[in-house]
Amino acid sequence: MKILAVDDEPLFCEVLVAELQNLGQSDVHVVYSAADALKQVISETKPFDCVLLDIDMPEMTGIDLCSLLRKTPQTSDVPIIMVTSRSELDSVDKAFAAGATDYLVKPLDSRELQGRMTMAVSITRERIARKQAAANSNQGTVFSFEEACRLDIEHSCLDYLAMQNYVLKLNSMQMFTQSAVGFRVENARELFQILTGADFKGVMADVAEIIIEAIRSETSIIAYAGSGRFVAVTGRYPDIDMETFADQIEQKLVTLNQWYAELGQLPVRLDVGQPVNRSLISLESPADVLEKAIENTYQPMFKVGGQPDTLRLGRGG
Amino acid sequence: MQSNIRKPGNRSRLSDTLLAIRAKFVGSVDERLSVLAGAVAILGENPHEAEALGHLRRECHRIAGIAGSIGLHEEGALAAEIDGAIKSDPANWPVIKPMLEDLITRLADLQK
């Protein structure tokens, strides 16, 4: 696996390289600034498979660099792991919102690094297999209905694996007190069968934007879980007013569906699940909270989409 | 793609590597002390001097990042505490100063 490590402390880079070599990763390239990282990413003929980023660097922070790397084709879908002394919730939130896949806190723990690299190797294998399949089929990107891909929206949208890592990180900091809300495009399969893969992803990105705009919270994050399903994690206090929230989604979805109608495209019908709250003493794992939020969409609290059969099911489904 | 299986014997080689990096860190202490002492001198005169606080915080942050990873846990934790103290209240020089003096002493002791 070809790895780029970015940290302005050369001795820490040496530690990182040594630890990675111990894990069998010897193709490690080191740079000491965000600007050099961008140059390196763009100039390499063979793209990097994984990027490790410090946060506090002069001139450009690792969080800003992470955002830029997500907009750069060579690194848009590679694992980006923050390796930082910053352990505050604010930094964790911003890093994941900027597109980080995972977050490691210094001092470096070799077992934690090993876990992250195992994840990165697995993502890289899947990515290579997808590209290979696309090349063999001559169809460009191969995209399955179930694939929990990363959606191309401006802010606060993670891939599902990163969302799982985010809630696990919050949990390890004893900070996971957020609400998780699930959403499901009820006619997603129908849309998938009609549209091209890229167009289907575009529709899912439109829906994600509508949801994140309706939540109207800077720290809210959404992930696409595949099969037309989403999960959003948002601050628990104050409680989400689900009635108002559903109204806002409804309004935005009506506008979106009018535009789709002009394009001759099917409207989107969206089911909204009951929120799942988790207390600090809960025995439920953070990943289970996400799954439960998605499950709740199958007995939705609200059905929205500006259709004649739009329903308000109220609390309890 | 490379295997991520840990090979027997790699751990001891890594320990040697970490010891070598730690020796380099100790070799860099003079330079780091000079940054810290320079900031102390300026902040002693004017505790609100933003540039000196910035240099101080930056150096402490860098020490916090590396020290714990090469076995200098107390020095790393102390540097992180100073970094955090400056971030939360840059004007709190009476709290920052004794911690900084402790860090300077500990770093200087590494060279003995």
Side-chain angles (χ1 to χ4, degrees):
Chain A
M1 193 163 64
K2 185 174 174 178
I3 300 169
L4 177 65
V6 190
D7 196 304
D8 65 323
E9 171 56 64
L11 288 180
F12 185 77
C13 291
E14 287 192 35
V15 172
L16 201 49
V17 168
E19 293 283 7
L20 287 167
Q21 276 178 349
N22 195 46
L23 297 172
Q25 301 294 343
S26 54
D27 192 5
V28 185
H29 301 238
V30 170
V31 290
Y32 305 116
S33 72
D36 285 346
L38 284 170
K39 276 185 211 157
Q40 186 96 5
V41 161
I42 292 163
S43 64
E44 288 286 314
T45 324
K46 186 190 168 211
F48 290 101
D49 298 310
C50 177
V51 182
L52 304 175
L53 290 184
D54 183 25
I55 287 185
D56 276 272
M57 293 187 286
E59 286 156 26
M60 187 193 292
T61 69
I63 289 173
D64 291 336
L65 175 60
C66 182
S67 288
L68 286 174
L69 290 176
R70 284 298 179 219
K71 290 171 190 157
T72 306
Q74 293 93 326
T75 45
S76 63
D77 61 349
V78 303
I80 298 180
I81 301 166
M82 312 309 287
V83 186
T84 174
S85 306
R86 293 258 160 267
S87 55
E88 309 92 334
L89 179 62
D90 183 47
S91 287
V92 175
D93 281 344
K94 284 179 178 165
F96 279 99
T101 313
D102 212 340
Y103 195 101
L104 267 179
V105 176
K106 295 174 187 173
L108 200 59
D109 180 299
S110 49
R111 278 168 303 181
E112 284 189 2
L113 181 65
Q114 186 176 22
R116 270 41 173 221
M117 295 323 294
T118 303
M119 172 198 73
V121 166
S122 161
I123 292 173
T124 302
R125 281 191 182 134
E126 283 174 22
R127 196 164 49 87
I128 290 169
R130 271 203 309 273
K131 283 188 177 165
Q132 191 64 52
N136 292 343
S137 70
N138 273 336
Q139 286 179 354
T141 311
V142 172
F143 176 67
S144 73
F145 178 63
E146 293 78 15
E147 189 178 326
C149 61
R150 184 184 169 80
L151 300 174
D152 186 20
I153 72 170
E154 271 299 305
H155 54 83
S156 305
C157 186
L158 310 183
D159 62 49
Y160 193 62
L161 174 68
M163 176 67 99
Q164 289 174 316
N165 289 332
Y166 172 61
V167 293
L168 281 169
K169 184 73 208 168
L170 292 183
N171 192 52
S172 74
M173 297 164 71
Q174 300 191 316
M175 299 295 280
F176 184 37
T177 56
Q178 270 84 342
S179 290
V181 187
F183 304 85
R184 188 170 62 91
V185 175
E186 190 260 329
N187 55 337
R189 190 168 282 282
E190 194 182 355
L191 288 163
F192 184 79
Q193 283 164 352
I194 293 167
L195 300 170
T196 65
D199 286 346
F200 179 78
K201 272 170 90 169
V203 171
M204 295 302 111
D206 289 340
V207 173
E209 276 192 336
I210 281 177
I211 296 167
I212 209 80
E213 281 170 16
I215 295 175
R216 287 181 182 167
S217 162
E218 280 183 11
T219 55
S220 297
I221 287 181
I222 192 166
Y224 178 62
S227 307
R229 302 168 308 165
F230 301 82
V231 63
V233 169
T234 187
R236 185 171 169 186
Y237 302 105
D239 276 344
I240 309 171
D241 176 351
M242 288 300 287
E243 191 82 35
T244 311
F245 180 48
D247 276 342
Q248 284 163 356
I249 294 179
E250 173 79 34
Q251 284 170 24
K252 290 172 191 293
L253 210 47
V254 166
T255 309
L256 182 69
N257 281 340
Q258 281 167 353
W259 183 58
Y260 283 165
E262 285 171 23
L263 298 172
Q265 194 171 302
L266 277 182
V268 169
R269 299 192 298 270
L270 188 67
D271 291 347
V272 184
Q274 186 149 8
V276 180
N277 298 319
R278 183 178 183 276
S279 71
L280 286 174
I281 54 168
S282 172
L283 295 174
E284 220 164 23
S285 84
D288 287 346
V289 171
L290 301 182
E291 290 295 325
K292 197 171 170 187
I294 292 171
E295 273 174 34
N296 284 354
T297 62
Y298 291 91
Q299 286 185 311
M301 221 177 154
F302 299 104
K303 293 174 86 67
V304 291
Q307 296 303 293
D309 60 345
T310 291
L311 294 174
R312 283 302 163 92
L313 303 173
R315 262 176 215 282
Chain B
M1 172 129 2
Q2 312 228 354
S3 164
N4 63 344
I5 297 167
R6 188 186 289 262
K7 296 183 181 72
N10 277 7
R11 189 71 236 173
S12 59
R13 283 211 300 277
L14 178 65
S15 295
D16 289 344
T17 310
L18 283 182
L19 283 173
I21 298 169
R22 183 172 161 151
K24 281 190 194 176
F25 176 80
V26 173
S28 75
V29 159
D30 268 343
E31 203 179 318
R32 295 175 197 271
L33 283 175
S34 151
V35 175
L36 299 180
V40 169
I42 295 168
L43 293 166
E45 298 284 318
N46 176 10
H48 304 291
E49 220 287 320
E51 196 179 347
L53 275 168
H55 286 310
L56 178 59
R57 188 176 168 212
R58 167 129 216 89
E59 193 54 45
C60 286
H61 182 78
R62 292 179 68 172
I63 294 169
I66 178 71
S69 303
I70 49 173
L72 301 170
H73 298 287
E74 288 179 7
E75 290 78 0
L78 186 54
E81 207 177 332
I82 298 169
D83 177 18
I86 299 171
K87 189 190 177 196
S88 62
D89 184 6
N92 205 352
W93 181 239
V95 168
I96 297 163
K97 190 184 172 202
M99 287 196 289
L100 187 56
E101 285 168 348
D102 188 10
L103 179 64
I104 288 171
T105 306
R106 283 171 183 273
L107 291 176
D109 284 349
L110 292 175
Q111 297 176 305
K112 287 177 186 168

